[in-house]
Amino acid sequence: MKVLRFLLQTLKILLMLAGVVFVVLFLRYHAERPKLVVSPYQTAAVTRGTFENTVSSTGTLAAVETVDVGTQVSGTIVKIAADYNDHVKKGQVLAIINQDLFKAAVNNAQGAVTKALATLALDEKELERNRPLYEKGYLSQQEFLPYETNVKVDKATLASARASLAQARTNLANTVIRSPIDGTVIQRSVDTGQTVAASFNTPTLFVIAEDLSRMQIEANVDETDIGQIRQGQHVRFTVQAYPDKTFTGTVSQIRLQPQTISNVVTYTVIVKADNDRGLLLPGMTATADFVVEHDTAVLLVPNAALRFQPPAATAGKNDRKSPASKVQGKKHVFVLGAADRLQPVTVETGSDNGQVTVVTGGDLRAGMRVVIGTRPADQTKQSGGFFLFGHHGGGQR
């Protein structure tokens, strides 16, 4: 029994000694291990790639050439011979208007012509019968003049009757609505039994698109961007029906007539695009990007690096060693040197698209990391490697 107690006390003492040794070694390990320090600056890489500057706009798709088919006469539609999406040929019947009144008008005009011919024939015979009497002096000029006048009046009446007949026949022919071109019916505005009235404004019965394999975008471009648009310019655009597809087109016309929309002056720019697959439909809304500049294999620097200025504590006006003081009067960016010290690098820039700027000269090289901002204070405190181990480095410092 005494031996067992002795063994238990000895085990407790050994465990206590082991715990003390572990604590001492643990504290010594962290005291001697170098601490990782997170840089107070955020950086990004200078890259070489493709630069593109675009002007964005929205517009509506439409067929390149469409024809509004109307009617020149009034009446009731008795037959519809074409519907939406039908392919029609030039001269093909699209609709027919009730012809009863127009046929009656033709018959009436034909009767007037016949009557005028008969009256003219009678008066001409009277003229010829009385001419010898006038020539021999049996009739005075005053007595003979009415015969000549009657013939002239009859000829004028006949001409008028023939014109009325031609008009009546034309109106009868116009009761048959025919396609003026080869194309596709994209709109039908009438139904059988509907009455159409042709007055000062010709009603539109059908709209026919000549060729849906060629489409155009009528884009509204803001006056601040219109100076960057030119004929022949490459355009990319998307439509909501196919968000994953990108279509291409070319600027064909810049219309000079301005439009004011919500107090903003815009100009209509026509963009021609091929539609061989038939995916683009009239009326779709297109979001277009006009490619103003496109360069490949150019050096690019983030715009944030050009806007970055060292904190006041680092770049004070009276600090002779201030990084900014070394590059006064020149455009520059900053890179990190030893001990996270800011080092200025001169740079010459070209075009920018709001995100990156083209580097045209200076000391920047591809792969260099430039400072684009500072980290929050709570992210730059020193911490033991036990907690931050493996987090030092990475894509953006």
Side-chain angles (χ1 to χ4, degrees):
M1 198 66 181
K2 293 181 178 181
V3 175
L4 182 59
R5 291 178 180 176
F6 175 77
L7 290 176
L8 290 174
Q9 291 178 352
T10 304
L11 181 60
K12 290 180 181 179
I13 294 172
L14 290 175
L15 289 174
M16 292 175 63
L17 291 174
V20 172
V21 172
F22 176 78
V23 172
V24 171
L25 292 177
F26 180 82
L27 294 176
R28 182 178 179 182
Y29 171 79
H30 284 284
E32 296 179 353
R33 182 177 177 85
K35 297 179 180 180
L36 295 180
V37 180
V38 178
S39 172
Y41 300 105
Q42 294 178 322
T43 62
V46 177
T47 60
R48 186 174 294 278
T50 300
F51 173 81
E52 196 170 74
N53 193 9
T54 61
V55 170
S56 297
S57 177
T58 58
T60 304
L61 280 164
V64 172
E65 183 175 348
T66 59
V67 176
D68 294 342
V69 181
T71 176
Q72 294 179 304
V73 297
S74 302
T76 303
I77 301 293
V78 295
K79 181 180 180 181
I80 296 292
D83 202 353
Y84 287 96
N85 303 334
D86 285 352
H87 297 281
V88 296
K89 298 294 184 180
K90 183 178 181 179
Q92 180 177 331
V93 176
L94 303 178
I96 298 177
I97 296 175
N98 191 308
Q99 299 178 334
D100 294 343
L101 294 178
F102 299 95
K103 288 180 179 179
V106 170
N107 293 333
N108 185 45
Q110 182 65 60
V113 170
T114 302
K115 180 180 178 180
L117 285 171
T119 302
L120 175 62
L122 178 61
D123 288 342
E124 284 180 337
K125 288 182 179 180
E126 284 294 322
L127 177 63
E128 294 304 320
R129 187 175 64 85
N130 288 283
R131 187 181 298 278
L133 298 176
Y134 170 71
E135 292 175 349
K136 293 179 180 180
Y138 296 110
L139 293 175
S140 65
Q141 184 176 3
Q142 185 176 2
E143 291 174 326
F144 182 70
L145 184 59
Y147 297 107
E148 291 183 326
T149 302
N150 289 340
V151 171
K152 291 179 181 179
V153 171
D154 292 341
K155 289 181 178 180
T157 302
L158 176 61
S160 177
R162 285 174 173 171
S164 297
L165 176 61
Q167 182 179 3
R169 287 174 174 171
T170 300
N171 288 337
L172 177 61
N174 287 336
T175 59
V176 180
I177 311 301
R178 300 180 184 273
S179 174
I181 59 171
D182 296 343
T184 303
V185 178
I186 62 175
Q187 179 179 331
R188 175 173 65 83
S189 304
V190 291
D191 293 301
T192 301
Q194 183 174 341
T195 299
V196 292
S199 54
F200 294 103
N201 295 321
T202 302
T204 299
L205 308 184
F206 300 88
V207 177
I208 300 177
E210 182 176 13
D211 186 5
L212 290 179
S213 66
R214 295 183 298 114
M215 302 292 287
Q216 69 180 24
I217 304 173
E218 299 177 2
N220 296 318
V221 178
D222 192 283
E223 62 176 329
T224 58
D225 298 323
I226 195 65
Q228 303 180 69
I229 309 302
R230 61 186 183 278
Q231 286 190 350
Q233 195 169 33
H234 181 70
V235 181
R236 294 193 308 267
F237 66 94
T238 59
V239 294
Q240 295 179 357
Y242 308 101
D244 297 331
K245 294 182 180 294
T246 300
F247 304 89
T248 59
T250 305
V251 175
S252 64
Q253 185 184 55
I254 302 173
R255 295 180 178 173
L256 302 180
Q257 182 179 7
Q259 294 180 333
T260 302
I261 302 176
S262 299
N263 295 325
V264 177
V265 177
T266 62
Y267 293 85
T268 301
V269 177
I270 304 300
V271 178
K272 295 290 181 65
D274 292 330
N275 188 30
D276 297 332
R277 293 178 292 175
L279 300 179
L280 302 176
L281 303 178
M284 283 184 170
T285 299
T287 302
D289 290 327
F290 297 84
V291 180
V292 178
E293 295 179 82
H294 183 86
D295 294 313
T296 58
V298 292
L299 201 61
L300 303 173
V301 62
N303 286 357
L306 296 170
R307 294 192 299 265
F308 173 76
Q309 293 296 328
T314 304
K317 296 182 179 180
N318 298 324
D319 186 0
R320 295 183 178 180
K321 296 182 179 179
S322 167
S325 65
K326 299 180 181 179
V327 287
Q328 289 180 355
K330 296 182 180 179
K331 186 175 291 188
H332 60 277
V333 295
F334 292 97
V335 298
L336 293 180
D340 284 338
R341 186 175 180 83
L342 294 176
Q343 295 181 347
V345 178
T346 58
V347 60
E348 297 176 9
T349 60
S351 302
D352 79 274
N353 60 9
Q355 296 179 339
V356 294
T357 298
V358 176
V359 177
T360 59
D363 300 326
L364 274 182
R365 298 293 180 267
M368 296 177 65
R369 300 193 68 83
V370 292
V371 179
I372 60 174
T374 58
R375 295 181 185 276
D378 58 351
Q379 296 183 12
T380 60
K381 295 179 180 179
Q382 294 184 352
S383 301
F386 181 79
F387 294 100
L388 293 179
F389 183 74
H391 290 274
H392 187 58
Q396 188 179 75
R397 294 179 57 193

